[in-house]
Amino acid sequence: RDVMKMNYIILFLLVVSLCACFDDKGNYDYHEVAEITIENVPEVIEVLGNSDHIIVNPKVVSSLEGEIGTGNTNFEFSYKIEKKSGGTIVLNQNWVNLNPAGTLNLDTLAAFSADTYIGWFAVTDKRSGIQTSATFDIRVSSPTYEGWMILCEEGENARVRMDMISVISAERIIPAYDLLAPLGLPESKGAKGIAFYPNRYYSPNDLIYVMTGEGAYKLDRETFKTDKSWEIGFVDFILPPEGEYVVRYETVNNASNAGALACLCVTDAGNAYAQVLDYGGAAFEYPINTSERGKAPEYRVAPYVGVSMARLGNGKTALFYDMDNKRFMGWKYGYVADAMQTLTPVADPENSLFSFKTGMELVYMESTRYSNGLVYSVLQDAGGKRCIYGINMSNNGFVQEAKYENLNAPDFDKATIFAFHSQFPYMFYAVGNKVYLHNLGTNTTYPMNNIALGENETVTMLKFNLYRQCSLSDLNNQSDEFMARQYELMVGSYNTAAPDNNGGKLGFYPVDGVNNSVTKRAEYSGFAKIKDVVYRERR
């Protein structure tokens, strides 16, 4: 009986033990480790830098759970990018996180300079910590090869940024934004202008400068890379000017296809400089706003340089304006080096239309191809009344050709933005959100109602982009439509009510020389406040 009792006790303990084991097993999360596969990740993604988006829509499959979606909280997703060569990249890190949100699918702007990168996609099972990954190449091409370079000011601090309407092909023309930020442009305030000079001396070596209120920086002609060492004072001056910055850069066209006769520039301090290329001038030297070479400047010049814009340079002169003595000053190419390093007051001819010593403030000056090289100047007297002088710069230049007074032009005295046409005697000017066409020949003004801007929009730029290639043969492979675009009015405007810093628009308007009107051909948006536009030409 004791033996039997003992057997019952042993049996009872065994049952309890087994039950405890079963209960204990239920308290643990025993599961088979899933095998994860990644599909639908391309081997290569080709994008245009700062324009296209890097898009990946992978298919992630678990051997236990099937396809894994974004909402599955058991998994984490990540994307990273690094240069294919393995070096540091734009943000000075080995890897840059492409997807801070951690979503399964990737859709992000390709904000990287032209290069080949490696992309890395990873899936992590948070329960086991096991990670599965896939890699792919990202080839970023440059949006800077050809198109409209758009110099802007961004935000209340007027940060300089350069956007671009990139011409990839005749069929693909797309905007790209803030191109120079990752390419080394020093943080600068106050956009002044873009200088473009297609140079053919020795080898194709086009010059591109971005001019700001805190420095003018040369851009690499292919990549647009730049840095502080490329400031014009270090690369184009014998002695860098102290405390002044180049805000205007112009060339005097040559009869040769190779390049210009000379390069001229003006600083914000009102000093002018000349680099005479035909004489082997390698750099700018001393200010030329003086009566004697090497002497200290004697007066300040306005930030304009008037030249003939006729092709194959039919003029060897340049026009400046002395702000202190209110007179036109001339620069002339010649055979005496000293004379090309000074400015000279322009003498009044017999039976003159006006005096070159105007006694007025210069409001604006623009070079055109009209009449084979006419420079227009808008001047204002002490009473606030404005007039326009036309000075022909062909041959030896400084020929008084036109004088326009008592203009029938509403709000012309308030305008600060102008553009003169090179085929018709038209002046365009803007006040607020209104653009006007003034026919200089008939003294009649026409509101450009086809340029319809909202009440919160204001015009920030009017311009005609005359191509700068040295000769027509440089562009002889271009269509008639392409060549005609240099005579389209470009209208830059900004929406002051924009919720971000991207309220800028750029419209292109062919000009009707018979009916005194314009029509819109195209418009692009998403820019900052547009200050200058120059077409980046290619042969």
Side-chain angles (χ1 to χ4, degrees):
R1 188 182 282 183
D2 292 336
V3 172
M4 182 176 282
K5 185 177 180 180
M6 182 62 68
N7 288 338
Y8 279 124
I9 292 173
I10 293 172
L11 179 61
F12 175 78
L13 292 173
L14 180 62
V15 170
V16 172
S17 176
L18 287 173
C19 289
C21 288
F22 281 121
D23 289 342
D24 186 60
K25 185 175 182 179
N27 290 332
Y28 290 89
D29 187 14
Y30 292 102
H31 64 275
E32 183 182 349
V33 176
E35 181 182 351
I36 302 297
T37 58
I38 300 173
E39 305 173 10
N40 203 37
V41 174
E43 292 184 6
V44 180
I45 298 175
E46 296 188 355
V47 289
L48 188 66
N50 290 286
S51 296
D52 292 341
H53 280 225
I54 302 171
I55 297 175
V56 183
N57 296 306
K59 181 179 181 181
V60 179
V61 179
S62 166
S63 60
L64 296 180
E65 301 175 60
E67 185 171 350
I68 304 301
T70 301
N72 194 320
T73 58
N74 291 324
F75 294 88
E76 289 181 341
F77 311 101
S78 62
Y79 290 88
K80 297 180 181 180
I81 187 174
E82 183 184 12
K83 273 190 178 179
K84 182 76 169 182
S85 60
T88 58
I89 67 169
V90 173
L91 299 180
N92 296 318
Q93 300 174 11
N94 288 331
W95 289 96
V96 170
N97 186 359
L98 277 181
N99 188 27
T103 56
L104 169 62
N105 297 320
L106 177 68
D107 186 343
T108 186
L109 180 68
F112 299 93
S113 57
D115 214 320
T116 300
Y117 300 85
I118 183 168
W120 183 77
F121 168 61
V123 182
T124 303
D125 188 329
K126 294 192 291 185
R127 296 163 297 186
S128 65
I130 296 176
Q131 188 176 81
T132 307
S133 62
T135 60
F136 51 97
D137 282 357
I138 304 172
R139 294 176 186 165
V140 181
S141 58
S142 171
T144 62
Y145 182 80
E146 182 174 355
W148 286 272
M149 301 179 289
I150 305 170
L151 190 65
C152 305
E153 291 180 346
E154 179 187 86
E156 294 181 357
N157 293 326
R159 181 181 79 90
V160 175
R161 95 182 200 199
M162 195 173 85
D163 299 339
M164 192 164 182
I165 299 174
S166 184
V167 178
I168 312 306
S169 66
E171 295 75 30
R172 192 180 186 207
I173 300 176
I174 59 175
Y177 305 103
D178 208 1
L179 294 172
L180 301 184
L183 295 176
L185 180 70
E187 192 83 5
S188 304
K189 297 178 182 179
K192 300 301 180 181
I194 302 172
F196 173 67
Y197 162 41
N199 183 15
R200 299 284 176 253
Y201 284 117
Y202 308 115
S203 63
N205 189 27
D206 296 348
L207 298 180
I208 305 173
Y209 279 104
V210 168
M211 292 171 285
T212 80
E214 298 175 336
Y217 298 92
K218 184 178 180 180
L219 306 184
D220 182 278
R221 65 183 298 272
E222 297 296 340
T223 66
F224 278 21
K225 288 183 179 180
T226 188
D227 57 43
K228 290 183 178 180
S229 69
W230 282 39
E231 208 281 325
I232 193 171
F234 299 117
V235 299
D236 260 359
F237 278 78
I238 294 175
L239 295 174
E242 294 185 11
E244 55 185 290
Y245 303 110
V246 171
V247 295
R248 177 72 60 167
Y249 187 102
E250 190 57 80
T251 58
V252 178
N253 289 341
N254 198 342
S256 163
N257 287 345
L261 282 175
C263 300
L264 305 167
C265 69
V266 180
T267 70
D268 58 351
N271 292 324
Y273 299 83
Q275 178 185 8
V276 186
L277 301 175
D278 260 16
Y279 278 75
F284 296 107
E285 47 171 272
Y286 300 107
I288 62 173
N289 45 313
T290 179
S291 58
E292 182 179 338
R293 182 177 186 175
K295 191 177 179 181
E298 299 169 10
Y299 49 86
R300 297 172 302 130
V301 298
Y304 299 99
V305 183
V307 297
S308 169
M309 293 297 290
R311 290 190 179 278
L312 289 179
N314 66 340
K316 297 182 178 182
T317 55
L319 190 67
F320 292 81
Y321 196 79
D322 174 354
M323 294 189 295
D324 294 329
N325 300 294
K326 297 179 174 55
R327 57 181 178 169
F328 285 103
M329 305 295 293
W331 179 92
K332 190 172 184 179
Y333 176 85
Y335 297 100
V336 180
D338 281 354
M340 290 186 287
Q341 291 297 326
T342 60
L343 296 180
T344 304
V346 181
D348 290 343
E350 294 183 10
N351 303 317
S352 60
L353 286 173
F354 51 82
S355 173
F356 282 117
K357 188 170 184 177
T358 69
M360 293 185 282
E361 302 286 345
L362 179 69
V363 176
Y364 179 75
M365 182 190 291
E366 182 176 344
S367 305
T368 74
R369 291 193 186 125
Y370 190 78
S371 190
N372 211 26
L374 197 65
V375 170
Y376 291 99
S377 298
V378 178
L379 297 142
Q380 178 173 297
D381 65 19
K385 188 176 181 180
R386 292 182 175 180
C387 62
I388 300 172
Y389 290 173
I391 302 171
N392 200 301
M393 303 296 292
S394 61
N395 298 318
N396 289 322
F398 314 127
V399 175
Q400 298 183 356
E401 183 168 314
K403 178 182 180 181
Y404 303 100
E405 295 180 302
N406 302 315
L407 275 70
N408 178 25
D411 289 335
F412 177 55
D413 59 329
K414 301 176 184 177
T416 58
I417 299 172
F418 310 88
F420 289 84
H421 206 276
S422 282
Q423 294 177 313
F424 314 116
Y426 290 171
M427 173 186 66
F428 292 86
Y429 65 96
V431 179
N433 65 351
K434 302 295 184 184
V435 179
Y436 300 91
L437 182 161
H438 181 80
N439 188 319
L440 294 167
T442 63
N443 195 17
T444 307
T445 301
Y446 304 86
M448 295 292 94
N449 296 323
N450 284 352
I451 304 175
L453 300 177
E455 62 179 0
N456 293 318
E457 293 181 277
T458 184
V459 176
T460 61
M461 184 207 72
L462 297 175
K463 188 175 181 179
F464 295 99
N465 180 86
L466 299 177
Y467 296 142
R468 297 303 304 267
Q469 294 290 1
C470 303
S471 74
L472 286 172
S473 63
D474 283 335
L475 294 169
N476 61 8
N477 61 333
Q478 300 288 357
S479 66
D480 291 341
E481 179 185 12
F482 174 84
M483 295 302 295
R485 288 181 182 172
Q486 62 187 313
Y487 302 115
E488 293 179 349
L489 178 67
M490 298 187 296
V491 180
S493 61
Y494 192 78
N495 182 358
T496 57
D500 53 20
N501 293 320
N502 304 312
K505 294 193 304 186
L506 181 62
F508 295 85
Y509 295 83
V511 178
D512 185 339
V514 176
N515 298 305
N516 299 284
S517 63
V518 300
T519 55
K520 184 191 291 186
R521 177 183 63 80
E523 185 176 78
Y524 302 87
S525 60
F527 310 111
K529 187 177 294 183
I530 299 172
K531 304 299 288 186
D532 194 17
V533 177
V534 174
Y535 193 84
R536 174 34 168 143
E537 301 169 28
R538 290 287 181 173
R539 298 185 73 179

